[in-house]
């Protein structure tokens, strides 16, 4: 393989830059050329590409976001869109493509690899950690640390003024960020879409802990479990206690990636190039029990990642 390409697609995630850097430098080390595609599949469709050199990826390992930019392209999910994308691949004599993104990215990548003679390998990168087949996605650890940092700050003020604070976090329709950050941040309750809950139970737990003398409470709500604002109102009405709501929003997705995310991205980027060079296609790089592995796009797409219920119970036990 002489020339490969790389793009980032979907929501950005901290560590995407480290993954691009690893793809570029590993490929050049293996005597391949690398073409960077701007704004994900949109750039592939309109031919927005640039050759990447070793120096193109200097000084980015520590930066959040993605210097290639990213986008969610509806057009790539059409046959016509993918035909235009193929034109870019063909005219630039590209033989392999590394796509860095989430499950939507891999769905499109799978279709593309089925229709056209091109090696396609995916690197899972999303703060949501909702991709089956891999224990971690690039960006999750940084997002969790961002949330824990925010919870620590919120707790300082919540304890001082003896308040309940509902903290709404991202995660799309899953509770991975909420659970991991809630456990680490000592949240009194964690509400996630995977586990049914009742507001009355949340209020009852607050009442019990208040009887014991605890005069503040942090409730972490995954966005997929309901609106933080509404849940805050219900808790305020149910307990009669002073309640505030903080929606963390996009602050969770920014910032310098943690060492864990940088290293995960670096290992996955290098492995993606190795697999393309070995003639593999339609596979996503993964990490399982600390080992870098791979899984077919077909399996990624048909499964749903399950939440760790043991961590969920533990968080409940420890927060009384
Ligand atoms: O998938 C990453 C994510 O940050 C989700 O957690 C969130 O639901 C969504 O993207 C937000 O997307 P946007 O930035 O387009 O509003």
């Amino acid at each position: 393989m002489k020339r490969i390409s790389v793009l980032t697609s979907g929501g950005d995630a901290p560590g995407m830059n480290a993954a691009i850097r690893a793809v570029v430098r590993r490929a050049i080390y293996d005597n391949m050329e690398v073409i960077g595609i701007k704004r994900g599949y949109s750039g592939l469709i309109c031919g927005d590409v640039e050759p990447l050199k070793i120096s193109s990826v200097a000084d980015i390992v520590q930066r959040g976001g993605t210097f290639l930019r990213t986008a969610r392209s509806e057009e790539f999910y059409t046959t016509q869109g993918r035909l235009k994308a193929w034109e870019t691949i063909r005219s630039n004599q590209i033989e392999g493509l590394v796509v860095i993104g989430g499950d939507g990215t891999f769905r499109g990548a799978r279709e593309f690899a089925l229709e056209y003679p091109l090696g396609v390998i995916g690197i899972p990168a999303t703060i949501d950690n909702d991709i089956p087949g891999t224990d971690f996605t690039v960006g999750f650890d940084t997002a969790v640390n961002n949330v824990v940092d925010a919870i620590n700050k919120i707790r300082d003020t919540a304890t001082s003024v003896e308040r309940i604070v509902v903290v709404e976090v991202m995660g799309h329709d899953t509770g991975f960020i909420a659970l991991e950050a809630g456990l680490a941040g000592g949240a009194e309750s964690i509400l996630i879409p995977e586990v049914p809950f009742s507001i009355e139970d949340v209020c009852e737990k607050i009442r019990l802990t208040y009887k014991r003398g605890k005069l503040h409470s942090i409730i972490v709500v995954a966005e997929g479990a309901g609106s933080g604002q509404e849940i805050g109102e219900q808790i305020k009405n149910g307990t009669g206690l002073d309640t505030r709501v903080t929606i963390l929003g996009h602050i969770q997705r920014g910032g310098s990636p943690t060492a864990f995310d940088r290293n995960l991205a670096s290992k996955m980027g290098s492995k993606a190039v190795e697999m393309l060079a070995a003639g593999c296609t339609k596979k996503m790089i993964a990490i399982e029990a600390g080992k870098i592995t791979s899984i077919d796009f077909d399996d990624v797409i048909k499964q749903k990642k399950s939440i760790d219920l043991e961590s969920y119970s533990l968080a409940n036990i420890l927060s009384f």
Side-chain angles (χ1 to χ4, degrees):
M1 198 164 278
K2 288 204 168 53
R3 184 178 289 169
I4 65 165
S5 56
V6 58
L7 61 80
T8 47
S9 161
D12 55 283
M16 278 182 162
N17 277 328
I20 301 166
R21 170 179 176 267
V23 168
V24 171
R25 293 199 169 165
R26 174 64 203 256
I28 293 173
Y29 178 84
D30 288 341
N31 298 313
M32 288 182 253
E33 291 173 356
V34 188
I35 304 289
I37 296 159
K38 307 298 280 292
R39 297 179 185 80
Y41 293 133
S42 308
L44 194 55
I45 287 169
C46 68
D48 192 0
V49 303
E50 63 168 272
L52 298 175
K53 301 179 294 203
I54 286 182
S55 58
S56 315
V57 291
D59 197 25
I60 63 166
V61 74
Q62 78 283 17
R63 294 188 200 284
T66 159
F67 88 100
L68 284 178
R69 312 277 185 256
T70 184
R72 294 187 174 104
S73 164
E74 288 301 321
E75 198 181 353
F76 192 70
Y77 294 91
T78 67
T79 313
Q80 266 314 102
R82 288 193 297 276
L83 178 61
K84 288 188 201 162
W86 171 247
E87 266 313 300
T88 301
I89 295 285
R90 205 191 47 76
S91 60
N92 286 281
Q93 290 151 13
I94 293 167
E95 295 163 273
L97 170 66
V98 179
V99 294
I100 305 171
D103 55 349
T105 302
F106 303 143
R107 220 164 274 135
R110 178 181 167 274
E111 289 299 309
F112 198 46
L114 283 170
E115 288 168 350
Y116 298 103
L118 172 79
V120 184
I121 299 289
I123 295 178
T126 161
I127 62 163
D128 300 335
N129 202 30
D130 58 349
I131 303 183
T134 186
D135 295 341
F136 297 105
T137 56
V138 171
F140 174 64
D141 186 64
T142 307
V144 166
N145 279 285
N146 285 340
V147 174
V148 171
D149 189 41
I151 291 176
N152 292 342
K153 289 171 180 158
I154 289 167
R155 196 182 284 285
D156 286 346
T157 155
T159 51
S160 304
V161 291
E162 301 178 342
R163 257 180 197 155
I164 298 169
V165 182
V166 172
V167 184
E168 184 190 297
V169 303
M170 281 186 168
H172 193 222
D173 57 359
T174 65
F176 295 97
I177 296 176
L179 179 54
E180 200 74 5
L183 177 61
E188 276 67 27
S189 289
I190 302 169
L191 309 183
I192 55 176
E194 293 87 347
V195 181
F197 59 89
S198 87
I199 295 296
E200 185 36 41
D201 288 349
V202 175
C203 293
E204 184 54 20
K205 184 171 179 185
I206 293 170
R207 281 187 217 106
L208 286 174
T209 54
Y210 269 57
K211 262 192 208 140
R212 257 200 316 98
K214 195 181 219 180
L215 295 178
H216 75 276
S217 220
I218 306 284
I219 317 294
V220 173
V221 179
E223 62 180 346
S227 140
Q229 204 65 47
E230 284 169 18
I231 289 172
E233 275 300 312
Q234 290 164 2
I235 291 175
K236 186 178 178 181
N237 295 337
T239 59
L241 295 167
D242 196 11
T243 306
R244 294 288 193 278
V245 176
T246 298
I247 298 169
L248 291 184
H250 289 85
I251 204 162
Q252 295 162 90
R253 226 160 71 182
S256 181
T258 58
F260 179 88
D261 274 333
R262 294 181 202 190
N263 290 346
L264 181 65
S266 301
K267 288 173 192 174
M268 286 182 162
S270 172
K271 181 78 174 177
V273 174
E274 216 178 87
M275 290 192 65
L276 276 180
C280 303
T281 189
K282 284 198 284 121
K283 284 185 185 294
M284 181 190 84
I285 309 297
I287 182 163
E288 281 178 281
K291 286 226 166 324
I292 301 293
T293 57
S294 66
I295 167 171
D296 281 346
F297 281 157
D298 291 342
D299 295 322
V300 177
I301 284 157
K302 62 178 183 236
Q303 293 172 27
K304 188 158 169 60
K305 191 171 189 175
S306 48
I307 206 96
D308 177 11
L309 291 173
E310 273 183 37
S311 292
Y312 183 80
S313 328
L314 180 64
N316 264 329
I317 293 167
L318 300 185
S319 59
F320 257 104

